[in-house]
Amino acid sequence: MAAKSSILTQSGQVRRAIVVGGGLGGLMTVIKLCEAGVPVDLLSLVPVKRSHSVCAQGGINASVNVKGEGDSPYTHFYETVKGGDFLANQPPCKGMADAAPGIVFMLDRMGVPFNRTPEGNLDFRRFGGTLFHRTAFAGATTGQQLLYALDEQVRRYETLDVEDERGVTVPGEKMVRKFEFWDLAGLVLDDGGVCRGVVAQDLKNGEMRAFRGDAVCLATGGPGLVFGRSTNSIINTGAAAAIAYKQGAIYANGEFIQVHPTAIPAADKLRLISESVRGEGGRVWVPRDRNDRRHGRDIPESERYYFLEERYPRYRNLVPRDIASREIFRTVIHEGYSAEGEQAAYLDVTHLCKTAAGKSAVRKKLEGVLEIYEKFAGADPYENPMKIFPAVHYSMGGLWVDFEKGADGSLKPGSARNQATSIPGLYATGESDYQYHGANRLGANSLLSCIYGGMVTGPAMATWRESQSKSAFDLSSSLFETEHKRRVDEYAALGKRTGADFPVNPYQLHEKLGEMMLQKVTVERHNTELDGVLASLQDMKADWKKAAALDPGAKGTINQPTVFLRHLDGMLALAELITKGAREREECRGAHYKPALDPELHPDDPAAVGRDDARWLKTTLATFNGEGPTLSYEGVDVSLEPLARRDYGKVAAATKPAATTHPSDVAGATPSPNTPDGVS
Ligand SMILES: Cc1cc2nc3c(=O)[nH]c(=O)nc-3n(C[C@H](O)[C@H](O)[C@H](O)COP(=O)(O)OP(=O)(O)OC[C@H]3O[C@@H](n4cnc5c(N)ncnc54)[C@H](O)[C@@H]3O)c2cc1C
């Protein structure tokens, strides 16, 4: 227990760290802090077990190579940076890929019910951007199983007494104190700009409280709600990261928003149909005849256009997500194909379910996902091709975090720099940081980066905490009282927004924001439209100042619209940095795509900038200037793998696959890709 020497302050208070967020990233950070002997306050907007990680379906990547395909952690690392279009710093990615097999074995020992092969080995399925079976999974509820496993570990620490350096129990103090239904309202920064704690609000009764912390971590997930409709939970506003950004933390690569290729089209929430469906053999297609309005199941094989398979014969339906989404978008929106006349393509598993054995094998591996389709689309996916369309899903961007490179080119274990934001004492991990996925995340790499990030963040915070000559618990209470009052006053002022001076409905304002971002800042980006969005955002920020609390609520209760106003402020701030980052980045890279600059679309146009690594192999850094973002750029650490062409073997129709050059592109795995084992 490394931190025992400084468990108490001179005045006898327990020196705690703070973790905001109880998803996989936050829980792993808590576990590692406790292992290092650091007591933790864990705050979460929702009950920890309802954190958005619970929704993850498909799996978690680790190159365990049980199928003897020649996969390795190095190949996983390489494919991660290639999938991310070379924009990720390579040392953290290497650390993550190296740690992945150990992480899956650890989760297995914790009791995660991973699927197994008939021989009893862990089973692995295919996911996008690789030809290897690399994704461990627990049916179609992997995120839930992982979250519950880590939650159990944290609960153990909730019952464990804090002991001082002599091993004497500190009365009434447990290693973890959990605060569920608490919403971050602000960071407490001292005169030197060091983070010394947080102010948060209890959403059960409105109480605002200042928490002291000798290191603080935000593990608050992604900002999908900025786009209105997405595959994310409705609490994923990104407001906590926005609060940190507005208080001085740098936000990196905000423009890289992942649009997942396969979600159920809908007017409200967009429900994901996991990549695991394609990993198990699902095929994407549209009717070859653009005017074909027949039901998908009535269209014969010869009249189906399997456009991903034809265009990418090696990776077929499992090209990386940015590519798959763009191809679906292009095929449906620009080329005019449809599914029963609707703006959608088909994702089909019916060919796998023709026999009872095949159907049962599909059910065993995908039931959780397919029942979502049945429930929300009202059609049985075992019998009917599913109608899907791309949907906002994940943010590669997030709070900028540092790293220290170790001797092996990966991360230096325990360095206080790892996962540290630009605010000293403040750390970030999970989807709310930007570190591991560059310009495009590979499927099943997020659960991994959350857990690996937590494993790195906990020790980093413990080291930082040890290095501090003065504890937050020894500082004058006036700092905390001032910040507490600031947030109480802010909330009270928001709550007073009623009457004619506040004619704007915040929920309608959010709807307008989401619709605009969804239409103009997702799969395809055009500068003229981005300029329009930036102008509209100025109007919306002005409108936010006129947005009403709707119902001020009674004393001692919480008023949801007032809390929503706080989150909406954060969403507007993030929308602006996302759009500005997109406007400034004059290239196509990963999920950020401008048709005007696509050399494929403009082969003979010298004005098309195409790809300029010398200029754009850079991380976008957004700093809040009091009004909006100021952008600057930072080089990417490409010390381990030289840049290569991001080639997934696209071919023009009726030509052969292009030759590939990197060893990982030709290693072991057989091309034919998304035919599943045992369910042919
Ligand atoms: C439908 C779906 C399926 C997915 N499937 C996969 C998959 O199969 N494999 C994969 O690798 N990835 C998958 N992902 C992505 C992955 O699930 C997420 O990126 C990941 O779980 C995020 O974990 P996290 O710990 O960063 O945040 P979360 O799990 O989102 O947790 C965030 C935490 O922060 C708290 N919080 C948020 N805001 C505040 C605030 N203002 N104040 C206080 N607390 C706050 C919340 O209460 C919560 O506890 C999927 C995503 C979706 C949407």
Side-chain angles (χ1 to χ4, degrees):
M1 293 237 177
K4 277 262 167 97
S5 59
S6 56
I7 212 93
L8 300 177
T9 64
Q10 286 176 351
S11 58
Q13 295 193 72
V14 175
R15 293 183 58 198
R16 290 182 176 273
I18 296 171
V19 175
V20 185
L24 289 175
L27 293 183
M28 197 66 230
T29 304
V30 171
I31 292 168
K32 282 289 161 189
L33 280 164
C34 290
E35 283 178 7
V38 179
V40 186
D41 280 346
L42 168 59
L43 280 65
S44 176
L45 187 55
V46 292
V48 160
K49 285 171 86 171
R50 300 304 304 160
S51 297
H52 176 62
S53 295
V54 81
C55 298
Q57 302 168 344
I60 175 167
N61 285 337
S63 290
V64 178
N65 194 32
V66 284
K67 293 184 194 283
E69 298 167 325
D71 195 10
S72 70
Y74 197 83
T75 305
H76 181 189
F77 150 68
Y78 176 72
E79 290 185 338
T80 296
V81 295
K82 176 182 166 186
D85 218 344
F86 301 100
L87 199 65
N89 291 309
Q90 295 186 355
C93 292
K94 180 165 187 307
M96 176 176 83
D98 285 346
I103 287 174
V104 167
F105 294 140
M106 173 192 77
L107 294 165
D108 191 33
R109 285 196 304 278
M110 282 181 183
V112 172
F114 283 120
N115 278 49
R116 306 192 96 85
T117 64
E119 302 80 34
N121 294 323
L122 289 173
D123 199 4
F124 288 82
R125 59 170 41 135
R126 279 200 55 214
F127 250 63
T130 181
L131 296 176
F132 296 101
H133 291 79
R134 186 184 289 153
T135 306
F137 57 102
T141 60
T142 312
Q144 178 181 350
Q145 308 306 330
L146 264 50
L147 190 69
Y148 286 15
L150 296 195
D151 177 62
E152 277 181 13
Q153 301 298 317
V154 170
R155 280 170 195 267
R156 201 161 56 82
Y157 287 112
E158 283 175 58
T159 64
L160 205 66
D161 293 322
V162 175
E163 293 174 359
D164 70 11
E165 53 273 19
R166 296 161 300 156
V168 176
T169 300
V170 183
E173 296 280 358
K174 302 292 179 192
M175 284 300 286
V176 172
R177 299 193 301 192
K178 198 156 78 185
F179 298 85
E180 293 179 325
F181 294 112
W182 285 73
D183 187 25
L184 184 78
L187 303 174
V188 179
L189 307 182
D190 69 14
D191 290 345
V194 177
C195 185
R196 299 297 197 164
V198 302
V199 179
Q201 185 172 35
D202 185 346
L203 297 188
K204 298 187 291 305
N205 58 18
E207 178 201 348
M208 200 75 82
R209 194 193 294 183
F211 293 78
R212 297 177 188 233
D214 276 348
V216 176
C217 173
L218 297 188
T220 47
L225 261 268
V226 169
F227 293 82
R229 282 173 293 147
S230 80
T231 63
N232 287 192
S233 305
I234 56 161
I235 61 149
N236 286 126
T237 61
I243 284 170
Y245 156 70
K246 284 190 143 189
Q247 287 192 251
I250 293 171
Y251 198 98
N253 283 344
E255 66 268 33
F256 291 99
I257 295 292
Q258 178 161 87
V259 180
H260 194 290
T262 60
I264 308 173
D268 56 344
K269 186 176 158 18
L270 301 175
R271 288 160 188 99
L272 182 74
I273 299 298
S274 163
E275 195 165 295
S276 57
V277 172
R278 283 172 287 140
E280 297 295 346
R283 303 175 76 186
V284 175
W285 60 275
V286 284
R288 281 202 184 272
D289 177 357
R290 289 178 175 82
N291 298 314
D292 198 333
R293 297 289 182 268
R294 283 176 293 173
H295 192 288
R297 71 174 170 244
D298 299 329
I299 299 174
E301 183 70 15
S302 59
E303 294 176 41
R304 298 176 175 193
Y305 179 18
Y306 293 99
F307 54 95
L308 287 176
E309 297 176 25
E310 287 191 21
R311 292 171 194 169
Y312 297 88
R314 278 178 65 74
Y315 286 82
R316 295 164 64 97
N317 296 287
L318 287 170
V319 284
R321 290 174 177 178
D322 53 338
I323 295 177
S325 288
R326 212 142 53 229
E327 294 291 358
I328 294 172
F329 199 83
R330 195 173 283 172
T331 305
V332 172
I333 303 292
H334 296 306
E335 297 174 359
Y337 292 93
S338 71
E340 292 166 53
E342 292 172 29
Q343 257 186 20
Y346 288 117
L347 171 58
D348 197 351
V349 294
T350 57
H351 58 290
L352 304 170
C353 304
K354 296 226 182 296
T355 62
K359 190 170 177 178
S360 145
V362 169
R363 193 185 297 281
K364 194 168 145 210
K365 292 184 171 176
L366 296 172
E367 187 170 17
V369 182
L370 299 181
E371 74 185 12
I372 291 175
Y373 189 82
E374 178 146 26
K375 187 167 175 186
F376 289 98
D380 174 2
Y382 298 91
E383 306 289 335
N384 301 282
M386 294 174 274
K387 278 185 248 175
I388 50 89
F389 198 69
V392 169
H393 181 61
Y394 181 85
S395 175
M396 278 70 74
L399 290 168
W400 177 89
V401 290
D402 200 2
F403 63 89
E404 185 170 354
K405 197 154 50 174
D408 65 349
S410 149
L411 294 193
K412 185 171 171 195
S415 166
R417 280 177 56 195
N418 295 336
Q419 300 288 137
T421 71
S422 56
I423 295 180
L426 179 68
Y427 290 76
T429 199
E431 194 174 334
S432 58
D433 81 38
Y434 92 109
Q435 189 66 285
Y436 297 93
H437 309 291
N440 170 63
R441 169 174 75 83
L442 289 190
N445 257 357
S446 174
L447 299 185
L448 176 62
S449 64
C450 286
I451 294 182
Y452 176 69
M455 291 172 81
V456 170
T457 309
M461 290 169 74
T463 307
W464 165 264
R465 176 179 169 280
E466 283 295 291
S467 72
Q468 295 307 292
S469 54
K470 189 147 195 175
S471 164
F473 293 83
D474 281 332
L475 295 177
S476 149
S477 59
S478 63
L479 172 65
F480 299 92
E481 283 158 12
T482 305
E483 288 308 311
H484 175 258
K485 183 170 183 316
R486 187 197 310 277
R487 302 305 170 186
V488 168
D489 291 349
E490 260 175 24
Y491 182 76
L494 289 177
K496 285 187 192 133
R497 288 186 178 195
T498 53
D501 289 343
F502 299 100
V504 177
N505 180 313
Y507 295 101
Q508 285 171 353
L509 181 56
H510 174 240
E511 205 176 316
K512 203 165 132 191
L513 169 73
E515 213 45 55
M516 177 177 75
M517 295 298 288
L518 204 55
Q519 294 306 323
K520 299 188 171 155
V521 201
T522 51
V523 177
E524 291 186 355
R525 294 161 176 187
H526 304 273
N527 282 346
T528 45
E529 290 190 350
L530 295 174
D531 286 337
V533 171
L534 286 169
S536 298
L537 281 169
Q538 299 314 312
D539 296 341
M540 289 185 189
K541 287 199 298 183
D543 281 350
W544 179 84
K545 293 185 178 151
K546 292 183 277 170
L550 300 180
D551 163 18
K555 197 170 161 41
T557 64
I558 192 72
N559 176 240
Q560 288 299 341
T562 312
V563 175
F564 184 72
L565 279 171
R566 185 163 65 214
H567 282 248
L568 183 56
D569 182 41
M571 287 192 269
L572 287 163
L574 295 186
E576 195 175 6
L577 68 84
I578 289 167
T579 311
K580 191 157 182 199
R583 175 64 181 87
E584 299 292 308
R585 188 172 277 275
E586 289 289 52
E587 64 163 355
C588 300
R589 187 182 294 275
H592 169 72
Y593 174 70
K594 290 185 170 175
L597 301 177
D598 182 351
E600 225 180 84
L601 294 183
H602 310 281
D604 305 319
D605 181 359
V609 178
R611 177 68 165 258
D612 183 355
D613 279 339
R615 188 167 162 220
W616 285 113
L617 190 69
K618 298 263 178 0
T619 300
T620 306
L621 306 177
T623 313
F624 186 62
N625 59 27
E627 295 291 331
T630 299
L631 301 188
S632 59
Y633 295 88
E634 174 183 77
V636 178
D637 186 325
V638 289
S639 54
L640 294 168
E641 264 293 326
L643 299 180
R645 212 151 58 88
R646 190 178 184 241
D647 183 2
Y648 290 95
K650 182 168 187 178
V651 291
T655 59
K656 286 195 169 155
T660 50
T661 46
H662 194 277
S664 78
D665 293 336
V666 289
T670 40
S672 94
N674 60 335
T675 305
D677 292 2
V679 263
S680 58

